[in-house]
């Protein structure tokens, strides 16, 4: 029972802890598990940050296109081409699939990963909604275009929360600040990067 209680406390502990230069005593199983957990979390923070950067790069063109088609806080712009919309759907669909089978991690890492996953699902829905709007007569698109814009805004705001969590994780792990935010505009409810330089 004592070991089970200690393991529960371990899993509830901070995910940003970094293992000390000197390893735990081999005869202390709880300390060994604690060190292994910290090492695993440190590795997952780096991996998730790298993944977020890659996804950020792939999603920016989609967001740029949607910003022209359904500008935040403004009337719809010129319709996007069918080929553009289809390419957006490929990008967002592939990105959703990346998060289909997430590895188990510490609480903080899981929160960041879940936020990123929720964001890309919302953006994927926004693109599908926009495609559905284009399939309607031009005078019947208004409601769907508005919905696509709101779904996009939710995606950006959700990503910003996850990116903030990822920044905190990296700082706690000793990696310095990491700012992996998506483009946003006032009124979208998105958090933005703090003023600290990357890596510090």
């Amino acid at each position: 029972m004592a070991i089970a209680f200690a393991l529960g406390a371990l899993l509830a502990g901070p995910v940003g802890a970094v293992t000390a230069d000197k390893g735990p005593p081999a005869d202390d199983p709880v300390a060994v598990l604690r060190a292994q957990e910290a090492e695993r979390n440190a590795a997952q923070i780096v991996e998730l940050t790298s993944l977020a950067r890659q996804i950020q790069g792939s999603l920016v063109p989609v967001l740029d296109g949607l910003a022209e088609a359904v500008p935040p806080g403004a009337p719809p712009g010129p319709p996007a081409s069918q080929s553009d919309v289809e390419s957006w759907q490929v990008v967002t669909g592939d990105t959703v699939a990346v998060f289909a089978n997430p590895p188990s991690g510490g609480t903080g890492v899981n929160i960041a990963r879940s936020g990123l996953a929720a964001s890309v699902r919302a953006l994927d829905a926004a693109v599908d909604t926009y495609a559905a709007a284009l399939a309607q007569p031009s005078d019947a698109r208004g409601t769907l275009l508005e919905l696509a814009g709101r779904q996009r805004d939710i995606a950006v705001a959700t990503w910003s929360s996850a990116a903030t969590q990822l920044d905190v994780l990296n700082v706690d792990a000793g990696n310095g600040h990491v700012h992996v935010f998506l483009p946003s505009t006032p009124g979208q409810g998105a958090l933005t990067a703090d003023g600290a330089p990357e890596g510090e």
Side-chain angles (χ1 to χ4, degrees), residues 11-101:
L11 293 176
V15 300
V18 181
T19 56
D21 292 337
K22 186 176 180 180
D27 59 351
D28 186 344
V30 173
V32 170
L33 287 174
R34 190 186 301 274
Q36 291 174 343
E37 177 78 2
E39 184 177 357
R40 182 186 68 174
N41 283 334
Q44 288 198 1
I45 290 167
V46 173
E47 292 168 1
L48 184 58
T49 301
S50 177
L51 177 63
R53 287 196 189 281
Q54 294 174 22
I55 293 173
Q56 176 198 43
S58 67
L59 293 184
V60 167
V62 177
L63 289 169
D64 287 346
L66 281 173
E68 294 181 6
V70 281
S81 69
Q82 186 66 31
S83 61
D84 281 346
V85 175
E86 289 174 354
S87 69
W88 299 347
Q89 289 177 309
V90 170
V91 170
T92 58
D94 287 348
T95 305
V96 168
V98 168
F99 292 101
N101 297 293

Side-chain angles (χ1 to χ4, degrees), residues 70 76 129 133 141-151 153:
V70 281
T129 301
R141 295 174 180 174
T143 299
L144 287 174
L145 291 176
E146 181 185 2
L147 177 58
R150 285 195 283 123
Q151 290 171 324
D153 292 350

